[in-house]
Amino acid sequence: MSLNCIGLTKAYGDKVVLDGFTHAFPEGRVSCVLGRSGCGKTTLLRLIAGLESPDAGRVEGLPADGLSMVFQEDRLPPQLSAAGCLRCVLRKSADREARIAEALGALGIDPASDQPVREFSGGMRRRVALARALVVPAKLVLLDEPFKGLDADTRAAAVAFTHRMLAGRTAVLVTHDEADVTAFDAVALRMG
Amino acid sequence: MKQTNRGLRRLAAAAFWVAVWQLAAMTVNLPVLLASPVETVVRLAQLIPTADFWRSVLFTLGHIAAGYALAATAGTLLAVLASRFAPMADLLSPLMSVLRSVPVASFVIAALIWVPSKRLSLLIVAVIVLPVVYAGTLDGIRQIDPRLSEMARVFRMTRWNRFRHIALPAALPSLGAALSTAMGLAWKSGVAAEVIGIPTGSIGEKLYKAKVYLATPDLFAWTLTIVIISAACTRIVRRGLKRIG
């Protein structure tokens, strides 16, 4: 079942950010949401995630087992190591540590490091936030500018890994880069 | 090297003030008015091997520790409730203000009517520590980053992980400061309550007797004992908090 946004409306005071937004995000595919800053892309993700309630409209087709997300900010517990940030959102399982090591390793982060993420550079923190969202086995993944602040080489590696990890999952990817539509073989949605 | 220098400076400062105390005592030259450091230490050395000394220490320590633990637990739980339910915070606010501002002596005299003097220090310590821990915990809870709380909601983090990795690290600096401060207050108020209530076999009773018999070296020796135990208790609390954090 696709993820359906039906007549979503959201205003902050007098500023209407979304006005009757309706769209069906196809199941098992990546949808790239493009548009100028302030057009409501992040608000759309927050409404889908249930972090805010719409003034009108509804979201249908949300998976019962929850979702995963890369937020606009990294939102990592600052005292934890990179692996700790992933571990704390994953239930215990036989392959948990292997999955953590694979995700961090693929994004160029040492999974064995004890260094707290507060000491990481902005780009490293972004990659940990991305690894966290991808390692959680959710059917729906929301990504708000997940490659923000990454240099060209790191970005390319992150895009490749993200593409692989999103295979068969429904994903809504907010981006400013048109090239992501091709890279993810995505459905493009232009807002604003 | 830097740490060694700092340790030496602290030791030198302590030695300076002990020397000032010794000089003052030598100038006054009346042990009944001011016992010297040497007289104090000698008296303490005489008290330490006696069973009565340890009975008094254990009595007071037990009651103060029990009152402290009770208030720390209650203060933390009430602050958690107050942070979740605004009416609860409104309800508790005047009570905590009263507990903070009423003088210890008023509490002690009122409490003497309600409880036997044996349990007095426990009750007084609890009443004094409660508002300090409550305020510290509430302040700590307010330091929790709401963006991390949202993240925890989206990822359906377990209650334990939310507490361990988001709530506790944010709340600990404020809660820790409150718990350390409260430990010092617990000893001050607990012993003051004992001096007024004079429960048999307590440090407070020993201080009271020292006053009655003008045994100033005893007064100083018992005071030194209180300072040492209070500092040790505060250090234990700080170490415990450091380990948790």
Side-chain angles (χ1 to χ4, degrees):
Chain A
M1 186 184 173
S2 60
L3 175 73
N4 298 313
C5 296
I6 303 159
L8 285 181
T9 300
K10 183 72 184 177
Y12 297 101
D14 293 337
K15 191 172 190 285
V16 178
V17 182
L18 288 175
D19 189 7
F21 176 84
T22 297
H23 186 80
F25 295 97
E27 186 183 7
R29 289 199 62 185
V30 177
S31 298
C32 281
V33 181
L34 300 131
R36 58 178 171 73
S37 296
C39 71
K41 302 186 296 293
T42 295
T43 303
L44 174 64
L45 292 195
R46 290 180 61 78
L47 291 173
I48 294 171
L51 296 173
E52 289 187 47
S53 304
D55 299 330
R58 62 188 188 279
V59 178
E60 288 181 352
L62 287 166
D65 59 350
L67 53 87
S68 183
M69 188 168 182
V70 176
F71 296 85
Q72 201 169 38
E73 317 84 12
D74 304 318
R75 302 197 183 193
L76 305 169
Q79 77 286 357
L80 291 182
S81 66
C85 288
L86 273 61
R87 204 173 285 126
C88 74
V89 298
L90 287 170
R91 305 276 160 165
K92 274 184 187 164
S93 66
D95 64 343
R96 184 172 74 167
E97 293 306 314
R99 281 161 54 206
I100 290 171
E102 187 205 356
L104 289 173
L107 292 169
I109 306 284
D110 178 7
S113 169
D114 289 335
Q115 193 181 7
V117 292
R118 68 167 161 255
E119 294 173 8
F120 281 18
S121 68
M124 284 171 82
R125 279 201 294 270
R126 199 64 186 151
R127 281 178 277 157
V128 175
L130 177 60
R132 178 179 63 187
L134 296 175
V135 83
V136 170
K139 290 193 182 81
L140 173 62
V141 186
L142 307 176
L143 306 107
D144 197 348
E145 298 185 51
F147 313 117
K148 191 172 57 181
L150 303 185
D151 63 67
D153 288 347
T154 315
R155 190 182 199 282
V159 167
F161 180 66
T162 306
H163 191 204
R164 181 156 71 82
M165 291 298 282
L166 291 180
R169 299 156 95 176
T170 307
V172 182
L173 169 64
V174 167
T175 181
H176 286 290
D177 193 339
E178 287 276 350
D180 286 340
V181 179
T182 315
F184 284 94
D185 187 22
V187 178
L189 166 68
R190 286 174 179 80
M191 290 177 71
Chain B
M1 189 69 178
K2 229 176 189 177
Q3 210 139 26
T4 317
N5 281 344
R6 199 167 166 226
L8 281 174
R9 276 207 310 273
R10 281 179 160 188
L11 207 66
F16 170 79
W17 288 111
V18 171
V20 169
W21 175 14
Q22 180 68 38
L23 274 174
M26 284 162 71
T27 310
V28 173
N29 201 23
L30 257 180
V32 77
L33 275 185
L34 182 64
S36 71
V38 174
E39 285 161 341
T40 302
V41 171
V42 166
R43 184 62 190 129
L44 187 58
Q46 288 167 346
L47 288 171
I48 285 174
T50 65
D52 191 41
F53 173 85
W54 291 106
R55 263 199 301 273
S56 298
V57 166
L58 283 179
F59 179 96
T60 299
L61 176 64
H63 284 80
I64 288 176
Y68 178 86
L70 193 74
T73 310
T76 307
L77 290 177
L78 287 174
V80 170
L81 286 175
S83 70
R84 291 199 160 207
F85 309 107
M88 185 75 173
D90 294 339
L91 184 72
L92 289 171
S93 175
L95 174 70
M96 294 301 165
S97 297
V98 167
L99 291 182
R100 258 198 305 268
S101 49
V102 171
V104 179
S106 305
F107 274 131
V108 174
I109 292 162
L112 269 172
I113 303 166
W114 307 323
V115 295
S117 65
K118 207 176 163 188
R119 302 264 174 268
L120 187 67
S121 54
L122 190 155
L123 178 68
I124 295 303
V125 166
V127 162
I128 296 299
V129 168
L130 183 73
V132 178
V133 175
Y134 173 83
T137 310
L138 205 56
D139 185 49
I141 291 170
R142 288 188 184 128
Q143 305 304 317
I144 296 171
D145 186 345
R147 291 172 305 177
L148 285 182
S149 300
E150 267 191 1
M151 180 278 291
R153 236 176 84 196
V154 166
F155 283 102
R156 298 187 176 186
M157 278 173 73
T158 60
R159 271 177 196 277
W160 168 249
N161 277 343
R162 284 180 201 213
F163 170 73
R164 182 73 189 88
H165 301 303
I166 294 176
L168 194 61
L172 211 52
S174 179
L175 175 62
L179 286 171
S180 293
T181 308
M183 182 53 90
L185 286 175
W187 275 91
K188 282 185 183 177
S189 59
V191 173
E194 285 183 351
V195 171
I196 298 172
I198 327 170
T200 311
S202 66
I203 292 180
E205 185 204 18
K206 299 292 188 290
L207 286 175
Y208 180 78
K209 282 185 175 168
K211 177 214 144 197
V212 169
Y213 299 120
L214 293 174
T216 311
D218 277 43
L219 173 69
F220 278 50
W222 280 108
T223 304
L224 185 61
T225 307
I226 294 164
V227 169
I228 291 167
I229 302 173
S230 171
C233 289
T234 305
R235 182 162 269 211
I236 289 168
V237 168
R238 281 193 188 145
R239 285 222 171 152
L241 290 166
K242 207 171 177 183
R243 191 168 283 187
I244 293 169

